Amino acid sequence: MKLAKRSGMPCLCLDASCVNGTLDVHHAVPVRILRAEEWQNHLPPIVNTPDVQLEFQLDRHPLRPVIERLKSISPTLYIDGSMSGEFIVRVENDAVSIKTFYDKLVPRIDDDDNESSSPSGVKKCTVKMDSKKLYSALQWQSSINRHAVNSYILCEYCSMYNKEREREMSREE
């Protein structure tokens, strides 16, 4: 990757080739160089630390085939995760309620994030998702080399709705 001028225009040039040399790809992406005083208007977004981070072993916990089956039952699904290593995918409609349980997942804990969001001391999160969008986001699982990737991390960000629901549930108990 390098910054170069092509036809008098600054471009970010990317060169890629196959290991055996049969295919070479060259891209020149036009860019606009910012002045230093413009940098403050283009800062990267601030992303909070996920409430729940769980590591899946790709060979032991295939998520994509489960989502493929559940998306035909309901257009939305719920993902429940906790930092105790438990993960539940569930769908609900008028006729049926189905849950798929994953346990003994490896939680990812940040050193600077020691406070807990639930009264029991274990962070929990529930997220409502479009099942077809989640399935399309997991398409990479069918096309990867199993030796290249052996695990992935799923992160959940709880919304204000989930935190309010959690408070209501703790009041009922």
Side-chain angles (χ1 to χ4, degrees):
M1 185 178 347
K2 64 181 178 178
L3 184 62
K5 271 195 175 182
R6 300 285 186 250
S7 302
M9 179 172 238
C11 293
L12 188 60
C13 297
L14 307 165
D15 297 326
S17 61
C18 288
V19 176
N20 59 7
T22 59
L23 178 67
D24 289 329
V25 179
H26 305 284
H27 286 286
V29 180
V31 295
R32 189 178 130 235
I33 308 298
L34 296 176
R35 291 191 295 279
E37 57 268 7
E38 294 177 340
W39 290 358
Q40 66 185 7
N41 299 329
H42 301 281
L43 294 175
I46 298 171
V47 179
N48 294 336
T49 304
D51 295 305
V52 175
Q53 300 179 63
L54 297 171
E55 182 176 354
F56 279 72
Q57 296 296 323
L58 199 54
D59 55 344
R60 289 184 36 219
H61 305 290
L63 189 57
R64 185 176 170 268
V66 173
I67 302 302
E68 183 177 16
R69 301 285 187 207
L70 295 179
K71 75 180 175 79
S72 63
I73 296 169
S74 175
T76 59
L77 55 85
Y78 297 89
I79 295 176
D80 303 317
S82 74
M83 289 299 282
S84 64
E86 297 172 351
F87 184 79
I88 302 169
V89 180
R90 61 185 164 97
V91 293
E92 298 170 352
N93 64 18
D94 295 336
V96 69
S97 176
I98 299 174
K99 294 181 181 180
T100 303
F101 296 88
Y102 296 89
D103 63 349
K104 299 179 184 170
L105 300 175
V106 179
R108 294 292 179 146
I109 302 170
D110 293 335
D111 294 335
D112 60 341
D113 192 26
N114 293 330
E115 73 276 355
S116 64
S117 63
S118 66
S120 64
V122 177
K123 288 186 180 183
K124 297 179 181 179
C125 190
T126 300
V127 178
K128 179 180 178 181
M129 297 188 72
D130 183 296
S131 57
K132 290 180 182 177
K133 288 183 181 179
L134 178 59
Y135 178 73
S136 65
L138 295 172
Q139 285 292 338
W140 64 269
Q141 289 185 356
S142 65
S143 62
I144 62 165
N145 181 354
R146 296 282 183 193
H147 302 291
V149 177
N150 59 5
S151 68
Y152 59 97
I153 298 174
L154 184 78
C155 300
E156 290 185 70
Y157 293 90
C158 292
S159 67
M160 290 304 293
Y161 166 78
N162 290 328
K163 292 181 181 179
E164 289 174 11
R165 185 171 165 228
E166 187 176 283
R167 276 191 233 119
E168 288 175 8
M169 291 176 72
S170 65
R171 283 186 214 144
E172 292 174 4
E173 295 173 353

